[in-house]
Amino acid sequence: MQSPILIADDDPEQLQEISEFLARRGFDIVTAGDGHEAVEMIVQKQPRVLILDVNMPGWDGVRVAQAARGLDHRIIVILMTGDNDAHFRASLADCGAVEVFHKPVQIQHLVKFLEDSLGQRACA
């Protein structure tokens, strides 16, 4: 059984859109609606990949990423943000993120990135 992908976003529509699309592509998905729930899911489900919204109430995506990297340095962290500032985006890499996607996320690009990162193709 493959490790799940955790998607955390406080925007329920965005969360549903991304999670349903990735699930249809064969990825095992778990979701969280905020940073605290995301940390709980990381401990419970031990996902291989995190897709985190940067701006969430409570613990934001950067703080969740830092906590997750403390638990497992091999975890793949992807952040989503609506912020266009290049300096801000570059500073996000400090939390261990391997990629930052601008919102609204181009889901086909996300799928390709996941397939390349995981070294496998999801089931069609």
Coordinates of all heavy atoms in Angstrom, one line a residue, residues 2 7 9 12 20 52 67-68 71 73 76 112-113:
Q2 N 0.6 2.2 -0.9 CA 1.4 3.4 -1.0 C 1.0 4.4 0.2 O -0.1 4.3 0.7 CB 1.1 4.1 -2.3 CG -0.3 4.6 -2.5 CD -0.5 5.3 -3.9 OE1 0.4 5.3 -4.7 NE2 -1.6 5.8 -4.1
I7 N -3.4 16.7 1.8 CA -3.7 18.0 1.3 C -4.4 18.8 2.4 O -5.4 18.3 3.0 CB -4.7 17.9 0.1 CG1 -4.1 17.0 -1.0 CG2 -4.9 19.3 -0.5 CD1 -5.1 16.6 -2.1
D9 N -5.9 22.6 3.3 CA -6.3 23.9 2.8 C -7.6 24.3 3.5 O -8.5 23.5 3.7 CB -6.6 23.8 1.3 CG -6.7 25.2 0.6 OD1 -7.1 26.1 1.3 OD2 -6.4 25.2 -0.6
P12 N -12.6 25.1 1.5 CA -13.2 23.8 1.2 C -13.4 23.4 -0.2 O -13.2 22.3 -0.6 CB -14.6 23.9 1.9 CG -14.7 25.2 2.6 CD -13.5 26.0 2.3
E20 N -10.3 15.4 -4.9 CA -11.1 14.5 -5.8 C -10.4 14.3 -7.1 O -10.4 13.1 -7.6 CB -12.5 15.1 -6.1 CG -13.4 15.1 -4.9 CD -14.8 15.7 -5.2 OE1 -15.0 16.2 -6.3 OE2 -15.6 15.6 -4.2
L52 N 0.3 21.8 1.1 CA -0.1 22.7 2.1 C -0.4 24.1 1.6 O 0.4 24.7 1.0 CB 0.9 22.7 3.2 CG 1.4 21.4 3.8 CD1 2.6 21.7 4.7 CD2 0.3 20.7 4.6
A67 N 7.1 21.4 11.2 CA 6.8 20.3 12.1 C 7.0 19.0 11.5 O 7.5 18.0 12.0 CB 5.4 20.5 12.7
A68 N 6.4 18.9 10.3 CA 6.5 17.6 9.5 C 7.9 17.2 9.2 O 8.3 16.0 9.4 CB 5.7 17.7 8.2
L71 N 9.5 15.5 12.0 CA 9.1 14.2 12.3 C 9.7 13.2 11.2 O 10.0 12.0 11.6 CB 7.6 14.1 12.2 CG 6.8 14.8 13.3 CD1 5.3 14.8 12.9 CD2 7.0 14.2 14.6
H73 N 12.4 13.6 7.8 CA 13.1 14.5 6.9 C 12.9 14.1 5.5 O 13.2 14.9 4.6 CB 14.6 14.5 7.3 CG 15.3 13.2 7.0 ND1 15.2 12.1 7.8 CD2 16.0 12.8 5.9 CE1 15.9 11.1 7.3 NE2 16.4 11.5 6.2
I76 N 8.0 14.9 1.4 CA 8.0 15.8 0.3 C 7.0 16.9 0.6 O 5.8 16.6 0.8 CB 7.7 15.1 -1.0 CG1 8.8 14.1 -1.4 CG2 7.5 16.2 -2.2 CD1 8.4 13.2 -2.5
K112 N 1.7 16.0 -12.7 CA 2.9 15.7 -13.3 C 4.1 15.8 -12.3 O 4.9 15.0 -12.2 CB 3.2 16.6 -14.5 CG 4.6 16.4 -15.1 CD 4.7 16.6 -16.5 CE 6.0 16.5 -17.2 NZ 6.9 15.5 -16.6
F113 N 4.0 16.9 -11.5 CA 5.1 17.0 -10.5 C 5.0 15.8 -9.5 O 6.1 15.3 -9.1 CB 4.9 18.3 -9.7 CG 6.0 18.6 -8.7 CD1 7.2 19.2 -9.1 CD2 5.8 18.2 -7.4 CE1 8.2 19.4 -8.2 CE2 6.8 18.4 -6.5 CZ 8.0 19.0 -6.9

